[in-house]
């Protein structure tokens, strides 16, 4: 699969939007984190404390993932849109290695992008406190196992966009669907579940559970990520089967 991986690296690294999106994933959440940290530093106790350990980082991760979604969707979306998938399959007739090379290269790229984004968010949070005069506050959820879970959350989020695009051949749908689910559908369902007392719903919803894993601890946190990964597989396995069997 080395040839397929090299091919995918050339594709993903020579598309200017890849680097532009990574830059935006660093700047946009960091700018918001700086603003929020500055406000919290000015308000002090009236704001309920600084945005640290209790989930400050997890609040910005959906924005990071949403900005990076087009990278995952473009792995298949651009090739189907411009008919380049025929060239890819002419060079590499074995479709399974092509599918997994695309998924792996997207995952590697998003790992790097997520680490850079999380680092800038943490620095922005600290800088906001310094500017506000309350001192630098370092987000505890950015280190160790919590930081690792934060990176995995972003990777799964983008890979779901990848899988939806591979399944439907529709790049806009691959980008929009995860974002709408994460920021609109799941909050509504979570609110209904809270009112109805459906505590089990927190273990079913992938995006909110994945975000909760960052600020949770131990087996509960990894359990939420396992559910998130399970949802990715539910979409990715049919996408792989369809890709192998259907016409280009």
């Amino acid at each position: 699969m080395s040839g397929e991986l090299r091919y995918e690296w050339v594709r993903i690294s020579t598309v200017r939007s890849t680097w532009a999106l990574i830059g935006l994933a660093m700047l946009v959440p960091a700018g918001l984190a700086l603003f929020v940290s500055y406000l919290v530093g000015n308000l002090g106790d009236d704001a309920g404390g600084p945005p640290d350990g209790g989930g400050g980082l997890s609040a910005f991760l959906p924005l990071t993932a949403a900005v990076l979604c087009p990278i995952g969707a473009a792995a298949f979306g651009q090739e189907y849109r411009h008919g380049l998938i025929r060239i890819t399959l002419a060079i590499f007739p074995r479709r399974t290695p092509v599918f997994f090379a695309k998924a792996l290269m997207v995952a590697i790229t998003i790992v790097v992008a997520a680490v850079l984004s999380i680092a800038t968010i943490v620095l922005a949070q600290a800088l906001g406190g310094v500017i506000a005069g309350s001192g630098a506050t370092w987000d505890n959820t950015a280190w160790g196992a919590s930081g690792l879970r934060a990176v995995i959350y972003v990777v799964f989020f983008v890979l779901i966009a990848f899988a939806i695009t591979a399944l439907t051949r529709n790049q806009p749908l691959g980008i929009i669907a995860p974002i709408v689910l994460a920021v609109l559908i799941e909050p509504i369902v979570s609110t209904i579940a809270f009112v109805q007392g459906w505590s089990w719903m927190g273990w079913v919803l992938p995006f909110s559970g994945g975000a909760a894993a960052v600020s949770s601890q131990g087996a509960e946190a990894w359990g939420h990520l396992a559910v998130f990964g399970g949802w990715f597989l539910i979409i990715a396995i049919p996408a792989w089967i369809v890709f192998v069997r259907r016409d280009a």
Side-chain angles (χ1 to χ4, degrees):
M1 199 170 68
S2 60
E4 289 87 344
L5 286 171
R6 288 195 298 270
Y7 183 88
E8 281 303 306
W9 167 245
V10 171
R11 183 197 61 79
I12 203 168
S13 63
T14 54
V15 176
R16 285 179 292 181
S17 62
T18 299
W19 306 107
L21 289 168
I22 292 175
L24 286 174
M26 295 170 62
L27 294 177
V28 175
L32 181 60
L34 175 65
F35 178 68
V36 171
S37 182
Y38 173 76
L39 288 181
V40 170
N42 271 335
L43 293 174
D45 293 337
D46 293 335
D52 55 8
L57 176 62
S58 63
F60 302 108
L61 288 178
L63 179 57
T64 298
V67 173
L68 294 172
C69 262
I71 295 178
F76 273 109
Q78 283 187 333
E79 296 205 32
Y80 278 121
R81 181 179 180 183
H82 300 290
L84 298 176
I85 191 66
R86 295 183 180 89
I87 298 175
T88 300
L89 295 179
I91 299 172
F92 303 107
R94 296 172 60 229
R95 297 191 177 195
T96 294
V98 171
F99 185 91
F100 285 102
K102 286 181 177 293
L104 183 58
M105 190 54 62
V106 167
I108 292 171
T109 302
I110 299 306
V111 166
V112 175
V115 170
L116 292 174
S117 179
I118 290 169
T120 56
I121 290 171
V122 172
L123 291 173
Q125 287 177 327
L127 180 59
V130 171
I131 295 174
S134 61
T137 301
W138 300 101
D139 194 331
N140 296 329
T141 59
W143 320 117
S146 294
L148 175 61
R149 288 192 293 269
V151 173
I152 295 173
Y153 166 82
V154 177
V155 171
F156 277 149
F157 196 116
V158 177
L159 283 177
I160 286 178
F162 164 87
I164 292 173
T165 305
L167 182 62
T168 64
R169 299 186 181 184
N170 190 319
Q171 183 173 346
L173 180 63
I175 297 171
I176 294 171
I179 297 173
V180 171
L181 286 170
V183 305
L184 182 62
I185 304 294
E186 285 198 7
I188 293 174
V189 174
S190 295
T191 302
I192 296 173
F194 177 77
V195 172
Q196 297 293 329
W198 300 336
S199 58
W200 53 268
M201 187 63 73
W203 286 97
V204 176
L205 302 176
F207 296 97
S208 56
V214 179
S215 53
S216 302
Q217 299 294 329
E220 177 184 354
W222 292 108
H224 281 302
L225 276 185
V227 171
F228 201 5
W231 277 103
F232 160 66
L233 291 177
I234 288 173
I235 305 171
I237 292 174
W240 164 61
I241 293 172
V242 170
F243 175 67
V244 169
R245 293 184 177 182
R246 71 186 169 193
D247 294 335

